[in-house]
C-alpha cells in the first residue's frame, strides 16, 4: 500500500509539473520584429509608450501614474534602471522604497500594459553621475564606457543581476511578463569616435553581451548608428520623422520624444506647446514610425542628491503630460490622448501597407496607407510654420493650419488636427495651508509657521580630516558622500601694511572648477559665487577687510549634482584651483600652495539633523520668522500646502 501511494504521489507530481509547464508556456508571448514594427504573438503592433522613472516618484504614486497614462492612450511604460541607486557598493544591492523595481513592474503588469526596460546601465537621464556608481570611478584602472576590462566587468555583472532578477519574477514577455524590449547602453553613437580605438569595440561588446543574456525579447540601443543585428537602433530627439534605422530589416522606433525639457538652477521653466508635440508625433507615424515613447510622460522629482547636471533642479517636471505631483497637465495630456485615439484608428493599414507620398504644395504633403483588405489611412501635413493652407486630396479640399498634421483614418474624414486644441486647460496653484485656514479663522497669527534655526560654524568644525599643501579635487575627496568640502588656511598681515587703513581694502580672488562657493574671512561671509548649467567653472573676486596679525580664510566648496553625460565625464572635477589676496603693500599673496586644512561635510550633516531621530541631537532656536543675512543656517518648519486648480476650455 505504501509503495502504491508513493507511486501515485510521483504520478501526481508529474502531472502537476506538466500542467504547470504547459500553463506557463501558454502565457508566454512571442516578441519579434520586422521592418515595419514590433510583432507580438504574430501581430504587428503600433505602440505608444510613456517614460515614468520609479525612483522619481514614491511607490504610493505608481498605481495612479500608470492608470493616468493608460487613460491617456498609452500602451507601454518605459523606465531606466538606476545602477547607483541599486548597487550601493560592490555587491551590496538595494531594492527597497523608491527603488523597488519589482514592485513597479508588477504594477505595470497588473494594469495590463507592456514595459520597456532600459537597463543601460549608464543612463545619463540628468541623474547624478549618469547612474553609474561613484565607487566604480575609484576601482583601479577603470575608465567608463570604453573597451576597459574593469568597467565591462562591473557593467556585465550588474546587467546580468538585473536580467536574472527579471527572469526569476517571470517578467519578460517570453515568460508571460510585461517586458517587450530591453535596452543596453544609451546614446553612445554621438561620442563613440571620441573614445578612439576603444569606442566601437566597446559598443559591439555591449550589444553582444546583452544578446547573450537570452531574455527572449529584442534589445535596443538608443542613438547607436552602428548597432549590430539583431539589436535595433533607435532615435532620441524633438523630431524623429526623418530618422532611418541602420538596416532595412529594423523598425523605426522613437525612444525619447521630449515633450518639454529639464530645468537648471537660474534658468527659465522650459515649455513645449502641446500642438508641437502632437505635430512631431503625427509626423513620425506619417513617415513610417511604429513606436513612440514620451520622455518624460511623468518626470517627477529628483529626491535627495540624485540630480545630475550639474545644476539640474530637484524638480524633474519636464513639462510632461503628467506633472510633478501626478496630476494630468491640461491641455497637453488631453490633446495627446485625442491624438493617440486618432492614430490607433489607423493602425491596421499603417502596419500592413506601404505609404504612397503625394505632394500637395511646396510644404504640404500626404502619406497614404492602404492594406489588402481595402483599409485606408492618410496623414496630410502642412510644414509651413506661419501660413495656413487649403489643399486638395482625392478631390476634397482640406484646410490645414500652420505647422499641423491632419489624420484621416478612412482617407476621407479628419479625425484629428494637431494644431487644434479643444481640450480643457488648467493651471495649478500651490497655496499655504495656514492661509486657507485664515479664511474661516480670525486667529491668523496662530496659523503662522514656527521656524527652528541651527547655525553652522564657518570653517573647520570638530577635528580636521587632513592638512595638505595645495588643493585637492573636491569630488575625489568627498567621493560624493556630501556636497560640501571646507578649504581653510591662514596668513599674517603686518601692522605696517597700508591695507589696515579703512581707505584701502585687499581683494580676495578665487578660481574654481565648480560648482559653487561661500567665502569667509575671519568668520564673516565675504560673498558667494557659482557656475551654471552651461559652465561649472567660475571666478570670485571681492574686497575684504583684514586685521593685523593672523587672518583666517575659510572657503566652503559645494557640488550641485555630478556630471551625468559626455565623453570621459567621470574625470570632470570640482573645487578650488587658485586663491590669491591682492592689494597688499608688498603686492599679491598667492595662497594656492599654502597648507590647507580640510573638513568633509557640514556639522549638521554629521549630526543628521535632517532626520527625525537627529533633530533632537542639537539645540534649535525657535522663531516665528527665519533670520535674515545669517549665512550657513539650517531651518526646519512643519507646513502644509494644498493645490488649487483653475480650469477652462478653449474650443478652436
Amino acid at each position: 500500500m505504501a509503495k502504491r501511494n508513493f507511486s501515485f504521489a510521483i504520478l501526481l507530481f508529474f502531472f502537476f509539473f506538466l500542467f504547470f509547464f504547459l500553463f506557463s508556456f501558454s502565457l508566454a508571448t512571442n516578441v519579434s520584429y520586422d521592418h515595419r514594427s514590433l510583432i507580438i504573438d504574430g501581430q504587428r503592433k503600433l505602440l505608444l509608450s510613456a517614460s515614468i522613472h520609479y525612483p522619481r516618484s514614491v511607490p504610493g504614486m505608481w498605481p495612479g501614474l500608470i492608470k493616468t497614462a493608460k487613460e491617456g492612450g498609452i500602451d507601454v511604460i518605459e523606465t531606466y534602471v538606476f545602477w547607483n541607486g541599486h548597487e550601493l557598493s560592490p555587491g551590496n544591492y538595494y531594492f527597497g522604497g523608491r527603488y523597488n523595481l519589482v514592485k513597479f513592474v508588477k504594477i505595470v503588469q497588473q494594469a495590463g500594459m507592456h514595459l520597456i526596460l532600459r537597463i543601460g546601465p549608464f543612463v545619463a537621464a540628468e541623474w547624478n553621475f549618469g547612474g553609474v556608481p561613484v565607487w566604480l570611478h575609484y576601482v583601479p584602472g577603470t575608465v567608463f564606457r570604453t573597451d576597459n576590462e574593469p568597467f565591462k566587468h562591473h557593467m556585465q555583472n550588474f546587467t546580468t543581476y538585473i536580467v536574472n532578477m527579471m527572469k526569476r519574477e517571470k517578467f519578460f514577455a517570453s515568460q508571460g511578463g510585461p517586458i517587450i524590449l530591453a535596452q543596453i547602453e544609451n546614446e553612445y553613437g554621438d561620442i563613440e569616435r571620441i573614445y578612439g580605438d576603444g569606442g566601437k569595440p566597446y559598443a559591439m561588446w555591449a550589444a553582444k553581451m546583452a544578446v547573450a543574456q537570452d531574455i527572449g525579447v529584442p534589445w535596443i540601443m538608443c542613438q547607436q548608428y552602428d548597432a549590430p543585428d539583431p539589436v535595433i537602433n533607435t532615435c532620441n530627439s524633438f523630431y524623429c520623422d526623418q530618422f532611418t534605422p541602420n538596416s532595412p530589416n529594423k523598425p523605426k522606433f522613437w525612444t525619447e520624444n521630449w515633450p518639454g525639457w529639464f530645468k537648471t538652477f537660474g534658468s527659465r521653466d522650459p515649455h513645449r506647446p502641446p500642438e508641437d508635440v502632437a505635430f512631431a508625433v503625427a509626423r513620425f507615424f506619417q513617415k513610417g514610425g511604429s513606436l513612440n515613447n514620451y520622455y518624460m510622460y511623468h518626470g517627477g522629482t529628483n529626491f535627495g542628491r540624485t540630480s545630475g547636471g550639474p545644476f539640474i533642479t530637484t524638480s524633474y517636471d519636464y513639462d510632461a503630460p503628467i506633472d510633478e505631483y501626478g496630476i494630468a497637465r491640461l491641455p497637453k495630456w488631453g490633446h495627446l490622448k485625442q491624438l493617440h485615439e486618432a492614430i490607433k484608428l489607423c493602425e491596421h493599414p499603417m502596419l500592413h501597407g506601404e505609404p504612397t507620398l503625394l505632394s500637395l504644395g511646396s510644404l504640404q504633403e500626404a502619406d497614404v496607407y492602404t492594406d489588402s483588405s481595402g483599409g485606408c489611412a492618410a496623414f496630410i501635413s502642412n510644414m509651413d510654420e506661419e501660413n495656413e493652407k487649403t489643399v486638395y486630396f482625392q478631390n476634397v479640399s482640406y484646410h490645414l493650419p500652420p505647422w499641423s498634421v491632419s489624420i484621416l483614418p478612412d482617407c476621407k474624414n479628419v479625425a484629428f488636427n494637431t494644431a487644434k486644441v479643444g481640450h480643457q486647460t488648467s493651471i495649478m496653484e500651490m497655496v499655504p495651508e495656514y492661509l486657507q485656514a485664515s479664511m474661516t479663522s480670525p486667529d491668523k497669527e496662530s496659523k503662522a509657521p514656527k521656524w527652528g534655526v541651527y547655525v553652522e560654524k564657518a570653517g573647520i568644525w570638530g577635528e580636521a580630516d587632513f592638512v595638505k599643501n595645495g588643493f585637492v579635487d573636491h569630488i575625489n575627496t568627498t567621493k560624493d558622500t556630501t556636497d560640501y568640502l571646507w578649504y581653510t588656511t591662514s596668513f599674517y598681515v603686518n601692522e605696517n601694511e597700508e591695507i589696515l587703513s579703512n581707505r584701502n581694502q585687499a581683494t580676495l580672488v578665487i578660481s574654481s572648477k565648480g560648482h559653487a562657493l561661500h567665502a569667509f574671512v575671519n568668520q564673516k561671509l565675504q560673498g558667494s559665487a557659482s557656475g551654471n548649467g552651461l559652465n561649472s567653472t567660475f571666478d570670485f573676486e571681492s574686497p575684504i577687510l583684514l586685521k593685523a596679525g593672523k587672518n583666517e580664510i575659510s572657503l566652503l566648496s559645494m557640488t550641485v549634482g555630478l556630471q551625468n553625460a559626455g565623453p570621459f565625464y567621470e574625470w570632470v572635477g570640482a573645487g578650488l584651483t587658485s586663491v590669491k589676496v591682492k592689494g597688499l603693500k608688498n603686492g599679491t599673496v598667492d595662497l594656492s600652495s599654502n597648507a590647507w586644512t580640510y573638513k568633509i561635510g557640514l556639522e549638521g550633516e554629521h549630526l543628521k539633523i535632517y532626520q527625525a531621530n537627529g533633530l533632537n541631537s542639537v539645540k534649535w532656536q525657535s522663531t516665528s520668522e527665519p533670520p535674515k543675512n545669517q549665512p550657513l543656517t539650517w531651518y526646519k518648519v512643519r507646513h502644509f500646502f494644498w493645490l488649487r486648480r483653475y480650469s477652462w476650455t478653449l474650443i478652436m
Side-chain angles (χ1 to χ4, degrees), residues 239-315:
Y239 306 96
C240 280
D241 51 303
Q242 300 303 312
F243 166 74
T244 302
N246 68 353
S247 165
N249 301 317
K250 297 178 183 179
K252 183 172 177 172
F253 288 172
W254 190 359
T255 39
E256 287 193 18
N257 173 6
W258 305 319
W261 201 241
F262 59 88
K263 185 181 179 183
T264 56
F265 286 109
S267 66
R268 299 175 64 184
D269 277 328
H271 176 67
R272 188 180 182 191
E275 299 94 323
D276 185 55
V277 181
F279 173 85
V281 174
R283 281 286 295 174
F284 174 71
F285 285 109
Q286 176 178 351
K287 294 300 179 181
S290 59
L291 183 152
N292 167 72
N293 175 69
Y294 296 100
Y295 185 101
M296 300 292 297
Y297 197 80
H298 165 73
T301 305
N302 294 316
F303 292 99
R305 299 173 58 251
T306 59
S307 292
F311 294 100
I312 291 167
T313 60
T314 302
S315 172

Side-chain angles (χ1 to χ4, degrees), residues 463-484:
E463 186 177 344
D465 288 315
F466 60 93
V467 179
K468 181 179 174 63
N469 289 340
F471 300 126
V472 297
D473 180 78
H474 181 133
I475 298 171
N476 286 341
T477 304
T478 64
K479 293 182 171 58
D480 200 39
T481 58
T482 173
D483 287 313
Y484 304 98

